[in-house]
Structures are given as C-alpha cells and as structure tokens.
Amino acid sequence: MIDGDNTSQVCSERVGSISAIVHVEVEGGVSLTAMIDDRAVLERVPLGPIVSGVAYGAVSSVVGVARRAIRESFTAASGKAIGPHEADHAEAVLTLAEADGTRWELVLRVAANGVALRYRLPLLDGVAAMEGERTSLDLANVERLWALEYQTWYETPRFGTDAAALAPGHYGLPMLMRTEAGDHVLVTESGIDGRFTGSHLEAQGGRLQFVSADASVEVTRGEVSPWRVFVLGSLADIVESQLVDELAPDPAPGTDFSWVRPGRAAWSWWSDFYSGAQLEHQMRFVDDAAQLGWEHLLIDCGWDATWVPEIVSYASRRGIQVHLWTVWRDLNGPENLRRLALWRSWGVAGIKVDFMESESRDRYRWYDALLAEAARVGLMVNVHGSVIPRGWARTWPHLIGYEAARGAEYYVFYDEAMAPEHNVILPFTRNVVGAMDYTPVALSAPNRLTSDAHELALAVAYECGITHFADDTAQYTSRPLVARFLAELAPSWDETLLLAGDPDSHAVIARRSGERWFIGVIATGEARSIRVPLERLGLGPADAWVVGDGLTESTHASIDSFEVDAAANGGAVAIVTHAGRTPFRAAPRPVLESPVGEPAVAELAPDRTATLTVSPDSTLRVPPGWRAERAGGDRWIVHAGSQSAGVVTVERPGEDGVAVVSHARVLPPLAPGDHAVSGLPFLAFRNESGPVERGTSNGGGNPGDGTIMTIAGETYADGVGMSAPGWLRLHLGGRATAFSALVGIDDETTTGWEVFGGTRSVESATARVAVVVDGVERAHLDLVSGGAAASITADLIGGTTLELRVSSPGEAHVDWAHALITVGHR
C-alpha cells in the first residue's frame, strides 16, 4: 500500500515468512526494512543511486507502484541441484521523483528466502555517470559476521568476528551476518554483466556501504545496477538458497547447453608443477581417472598444441574429456577468441582461464565476450583468478567453475597450510552463491593442519560443476578407502541440504544423487564427537557407510543418525541409502576403439583439398575456416582454409555422451628449397623438460621459457631446443633430400635453467643425437658440454618421416641450431 501522507509512504511485499517494506520519508529518504515474520533483520537501509553527482533517494516522492508475481523456470546444468527449477517472487517497481522532477525506479523482489533490489533510470536521455549508491547496512543489531578482506580475486582467508570488532576497511562478498535475534543474512550480488562493475562492502562507523570497483561507470537508459541480494533465514536457508541464480537472466533464446557435463577431474599441476608439459604424465592421469570412473582431465600450464590432439584421442577412448588452461590475455579481443574454435576443433571440451583479477566494467565486458564465444563453439569454462559467481550458472550454464576462494593452490604457491577455520566458513558463505573450484583433497600437502578425512570430506562439503581434485591420482589409488569413495562420488547433485553446523565450528553437508546421499563433515577445533542427523534426508531407517578420521570405515544399519569421532580439525564422509541397499555402484570406464581416419598425415592437393577415409559411423570436425563434405561411401573431402596446416578430428558416438575421436593432420607438401625446422609443423614430440622450443634453447618446464641458443659461448638465432631424453617427429612426404644442423649442448645446462622454486644446472653433461628416417638411423653424434657446435648432416631421400632424437645418461639441453630440411638439391 501507499499512504496518502507523503512523509510516510510505504510499499510492502511478502512471500512466506519474508517481507520487505519500502519507506519514503521526508527526513530519512527512501529506505528498506527486511523482516522474517515480525522481526526486522535489516532495518532502514538507505536506497538510491548516485548519478552524475546527484544522490537520488535522499528527498524523493512516490509517483507510482507496479506489482506483479514472477514465476520463472530455468534448468541448471550443474550446482546444488541440477535440472528444472521454479523461481516464485513478488516484485514491486516503485517510480520515484526527485525535487526537480527527475524520475528513477526501485525494483524490489521478495522470495521465500530473501530480498533483492536494483535501480533503474527509465527516462535517461543519452548517458550519465553512475558514481555509487546510498545502499548501506547498519550493524547495530548484528552480533557476529563472517567476512574476507576485499581483493578482486577473492583469495584472502575468510574469518569470523564479532560485529563490534570488525575493523574499518574493505570486505568482499558474500558476507554472512547473524543478528542478535539469531537470524542470518547473506549479502551479495546477482545479475551482473558488462554494463556494470562489481561491488564490495566498506566498513566504516558501524555501517557497511556498497562500493563499486570503478569510481564512475557510464550508464544509459534502463538498469544502472546489478541486484543487491540479501538471503535471509536459518543457516540451512542460507546454504540451500538458489536466490542468486533465480535473479539472473535466462540464456539467449534457442541456446542449447545439453552438452555441458558436470563431473570429477584429474589434475596434475598441484602435485607436479611442470607436468602439464608431459604427455605421458597426462596419460597416466587419464588411466587413473578412468579406473576411478571420473569424467574429465584438466591440463594446466605447459601443454603444447602439437600433442593436445593425441591426449584428447587417448582420453576420449576412456570416456574422459580434456580441458586446457590458458591466461585471460591470450583470449582478449576477437582475434584471440578465435582460439576457442580451434581448440574445440581438436575435440577439447573445456578451458580453465586464469588471472583476470579485476572487477572493472571492462573486465566484465571481457567475460561477456568469452562466455558468448565459448557457448557458441561448445566449450565448458572454469575461471580462476576470478570474480565470485553472480548468477551466471543460469545465464551461462557452461560456466561450470569459479575459483574466487583461497584453495589448495596456496600449499603450492606459498607453502601455506589452509586454515581449517577458513575451510568451515566456506560452505556458509562463498559456496552458497555458486560453484567453487577450491581443488580439494590435497592429501600430500606439506604442513597440513587438517586430517585426511577432513580433506576427503571437502569433496562433498564444496560444490563445483567439475571438481578438480588437487593431488596426484596415485595418492588416491594407493589409499583403498579414499579411492573407493572418490570413485563412488557422484558427478552432479539433485539436492543439497545442510544437516548441522555453524561457520565457527563445523559443517555437515548432504548432497543427493539419485537415491543415494553423500555426506561431508568438516570441523575446526579440538577433537570431539559430532552427531550427523539423517531425518531431513527422508529415507526413514537408513544404512550408512562411513569413512572417518584415520581413514577407517564403519557401517551402520537402520539408523536415523550416527556419530563421527572427529580428530582435531577432522571430518568424515558417508554414503547413506535406504536400509538394505548397497552404497556401491562405481565401475572403471571401458576402453573403446578409436574411429578410423586415414591417412594419419594427408598432404594438400594444389586446390587445397585433401581426401580422408573414415569409419562409416563417424563425422569430421575441422579447424575454423575449413569445411568438410562427404564424397561418397567413407570418403570425405576436406577444404583447407587460410592456415597452412591443420588437424582434422574424426569422431563417433561413445559412452556417457563423450565422442570417441582420432585425428588426421593435413599439411602442405614441402616445396623445393630450404625449410627451417623451427618453422615446420611438428607431428609429435617427447621432451624431458617442457615442450621442444622453436628458435630458442629448451629453458625450463614451461612453453616459451628458453633463451637465445648458446653453445660454448657462441649464439645462434634459429633452431630447436630440446632436453634429453626426447625426440621430434616431422613429415617429409618423400620429397626431402637432405638434413643439416649445428648441434651442441646448450650452455644453460651448466649455468642453470629456471625450475619451480629456483634454478637447476649440472657441472658437466654428455648427450647423443641421432637423425632417424622412417625408423632407420642415418646419422649420429656424441656431444660433451662446453664443446663447440658440431655439424651433422643426413640423406633424407625417399623418407616419409624424420625424427631428431636426443639421449643422455644424465641431464642435457641440446640445441639443433640452424636445422634445415632441404628439398630439391643436395
């Protein structure tokens, strides 16, 4: 209703026990009170945007109120509960006028578990500057809160404090507060995109003020802020809420996200920093992941385009999809974004994008562009060094993970133990608003304060669309109970409940998949017994298989609760079923046959086409700008685009929705003349440390970390840098006549090259190099560190494939300087 007295005009909306009242007063201006039943949880929150130096809402009058019931449906591809959801909200749009007649709108939403608001300028001509807002919260009735010091990538530790002890400063979202009456409020945002900038909270004078990352943002007619969201209720109401997603917009009409596949991933970076550059290492992780029945492999920094198709094919035969790490700058701008289509053409399923570290409007526009292009080509996205979730799980269902939390990588970067207090707070704060890629279960972490069972329980206590397990898969397979639980762990969830806990002491999270419930218990503090109530699971008498501290197992039959004897900072996991039903369903993934794609290396004809023969049930995926058409039977004609070479992916349906793939490389024939090996397409390589480098020494374990080639003090401007043992394979096609190079052990072998945590060198080294054509050695040399570069030549006549091999009894970085393949003259 609206009172006729302009000094106390009130609009009230209610859904269930939650109500919101908007006051418009002469002295107080526009403000909001949010209530649970008859208790004010947020009282007299000042409202109004600050636009071009004018603070709207300080002196306003109500022009009108439009009300409507909101009932929206959306489908979650991952999250607390996959599948269809209904959002039932009451909405009121208040049109307000300033003294000079300027009009603005307050949009208010009330849901069964919270209140949200945003601002609009419906009649704005041209542009204006959004410079802030009046929105702030009084802490007078707040007893305790759980916060983190603000940082644009949200990786500071979360902590609990009495509200009176909160120091002035800047704090990130979401923030959880408990009132003196025992009610809880989670403060956060939703519905953000490239029109806006991210916000955080500034504590000053007993209040929390919303502050934007950009001091001023150009706005146009319409919405000028994201949703300010206040989730209200008990701790269970907070943890189980999906209000942030409910407030976000739907995907673009007609967009299909059925290809999004939540699940579990093997990830080698945490346990071995340079392992992303080692194909064999990734193959071992694929094998272990298949044995555990997992769905994904994430290859972090170090991967090379030469062998990514090979690991994609290897993994696809086992029903495992491959994701690649990259830096956001490498995907900044339309030209760089085209890489997504190229990676998808190899059969890659997703990307992990890192180091955005900004809440600016420009960066949100980058997110818009990235997510739109990834959706178009069909890539799942996991963002690190990122902002917190603000409803994109609804708008962009292929965004299956955010970091935005201090997680297990801090063991690696900073040799810093994760505080169990921080771990326990996360389910009540950060993970409430969306997927959290903490990378859990770091069993081999040094200086760890948490128990093994606590680490294992993080796999359930935390939700992410794809859970990337931190440790080497061997750490799991060597512990039978850990392996069994992680094999049984469901790839996605149908329901999430908080069974017990408090952010200062412990969390008991239950997640359902089908008829099974998975329970994670994490605790901070001294050893004690923790009760796990099962009544809310709705099973009646239930059976539970429990793995507790000490990694010991127990079983319980026909129970409605069980006790966990938690060690200090301990925990437990459990699988709970209807009485009499087995909790175990897992099985290793089968190994399927690859589709046929022949020849494996095809040369382009003069009209820039190539012919491939493939399995009858297969289709082709080609690089961007290329096209493929059936030529009858099992033959396909590939029309190359502007690139000189490319990889064509042959794929057919596999199991669990994963295509089984193989690859054919399409290359131009070698033309007459000299060809620098550094400029030719590599068919394949293996290298002891990082990738084979083009034009530089090998360097360390990362791509592009070599320096100018230097042998016995002499420098060389071109060639390839390798480390032993290793080999490099190139296509000759029967056209080449000769190979020549100057070879030697690079001086970095004895002076040192960078490795994670320092540098590495050897006092002296020896190596053997060989030139091999179609499996037959045609030349070799023995090298000694400090020796001058030696000439090596070989006859290539009639050869189809060339291999350059290096071996060493120890460690040696070898340069093939001025390496040339000659066609047409001797």
Side-chain angles (χ1 to χ4, degrees), residues 39-380:
R39 303 184 304 280
V41 181
L42 299 173
E43 194 163 5
R44 302 286 175 156
V45 177
L47 301 179
I50 301 172
V51 182
S52 299
V54 178
Y56 294 4
V59 181
S60 299
S61 59
V62 176
V63 175
V65 180
R67 294 181 172 87
R68 62 173 180 151
I70 303 289
R71 185 175 181 84
E72 297 178 339
S73 300
F74 66 96
T75 300
S78 61
K80 299 175 189 178
I82 64 169
H85 292 271
E86 299 287 338
D88 294 304
H89 299 169
E91 180 181 88
V93 179
L94 285 78
T95 302
L96 301 114
E98 298 300 287
D100 64 358
T102 303
R103 295 191 177 188
W104 61 284
E105 290 180 348
L106 168 66
V107 184
L108 177 69
R109 289 277 191 97
V110 180
N113 59 359
V115 174
L117 60 94
R118 75 188 314 173
Y119 304 118
R120 288 180 184 160
L121 295 178
L123 304 177
L124 178 64
D125 289 330
V127 299
M130 179 73 172
E131 297 169 340
E133 57 192 274
R134 298 176 66 237
T135 319
S136 67
L137 310 177
D138 190 348
L139 295 178
N141 74 330
V142 176
E143 173 191 58
R144 191 159 176 81
L145 50 80
W146 293 268
L148 82 164
E149 294 181 0
Y150 180 62
Q151 176 195 66
T152 55
W153 56 101
Y154 294 86
E155 293 180 23
T156 54
R158 291 192 179 259
F159 63 92
T161 180
D162 292 340
L166 183 68
H170 294 259
Y171 297 93
L173 302 173
M175 179 184 285
L176 178 65
M177 304 186 294
R178 184 176 67 218
T179 69
E180 293 174 345
D183 297 311
H184 293 85
V185 184
L186 187 80
V187 185
T188 192
E189 291 184 304
S190 182
I192 198 167
D193 55 41
R195 295 172 295 168
F196 311 118
T197 180
S199 295
H200 62 276
L201 299 172
E202 181 179 8
Q204 189 70 40
R207 301 191 70 85
L208 293 172
Q209 173 72 48
F210 276 87
V211 177
S212 296
D214 291 348
S216 178
V217 174
E218 185 178 89
V219 293
T220 57
R221 179 180 300 181
E223 294 158 346
V224 295
S225 76
W227 291 103
R228 306 305 182 218
V229 184
F230 309 100
V231 186
L232 309 175
S234 66
L235 285 174
D237 293 329
I238 301 291
V239 170
E240 297 162 21
S241 171
Q242 297 193 78
L243 181 58
V244 169
D245 290 345
E246 291 172 6
L247 290 163
D250 273 329
T255 311
D256 176 24
F257 289 99
S258 61
W259 45 269
V260 176
R261 184 191 188 210
R264 303 151 294 173
W267 175 51
S268 70
W269 176 91
W270 187 92
S271 56
D272 186 346
F273 185 82
Y274 289 119
S275 59
Q278 302 299 330
L279 176 58
E280 285 85 356
H281 201 110
Q282 300 309 314
M283 287 178 169
R284 177 173 70 80
F285 269 59
V286 166
D287 291 340
D288 287 348
Q291 188 65 28
L292 293 165
W294 295 352
E295 293 77 21
H296 302 280
L297 171 75
L298 170 61
I299 307 177
D300 219 286
C301 57
W303 60 268
D304 190 275
T306 299
W307 55 257
V308 166
E310 188 174 348
I311 189 64
V312 169
S313 176
Y314 186 86
S316 74
R317 294 177 59 207
R318 293 149 179 84
I320 291 173
Q321 293 177 298
V322 171
H323 302 242
L324 301 178
W325 177 92
T326 188
V327 179
W328 80 273
R329 288 183 181 85
D330 290 343
L331 298 175
N332 190 24
E335 194 67 32
N336 288 332
L337 276 175
R338 293 192 178 102
R339 292 174 176 169
L340 297 182
L342 175 63
W343 299 343
R344 184 68 190 104
S345 75
W346 300 339
V348 170
I351 56 171
K352 171 184 172 181
V353 194
D354 213 341
F355 297 119
M356 285 74 72
E357 299 178 354
S358 174
E359 291 267 28
S360 71
R361 183 189 193 187
D362 282 347
R363 199 58 43 83
Y364 276 107
R365 288 177 169 177
W366 174 85
Y367 279 109
D368 287 349
L370 171 78
L371 294 171
E373 179 62 8
R376 186 188 72 83
V377 303
L379 286 173
M380 290 175 273

Side-chain angles (χ1 to χ4, degrees), residues 14 19 63 184 414 437 575 734 751 783:
R14 185 183 185 98
S19 59
V63 175
H184 293 85
Y414 305 106
D437 193 17
I575 305 175
T751 59
L783 306 175

Side-chain angles (χ1 to χ4, degrees), residues 478-547:
S478 65
R479 294 169 168 87
L481 293 179
V482 170
R484 183 166 216 177
F485 181 76
L486 294 181
E488 295 294 338
L489 190 70
S492 61
W493 306 114
D494 299 314
E495 188 177 357
T496 295
L497 299 176
L498 174 69
L499 300 184
D502 180 273
D504 284 331
S505 62
H506 68 291
V508 181
I509 304 290
R511 304 190 193 272
R512 180 176 63 83
S513 175
E515 63 178 18
R516 293 188 297 171
W517 285 89
F518 294 79
I519 295 176
V521 181
I522 56 174
T524 182
E526 299 298 322
R528 63 193 184 277
S529 179
I530 297 174
R531 179 176 178 268
V532 178
L534 304 179
E535 295 89 345
R536 292 191 66 203
L537 306 188
L539 298 176
D543 289 356
W545 175 71
V546 182
V547 178

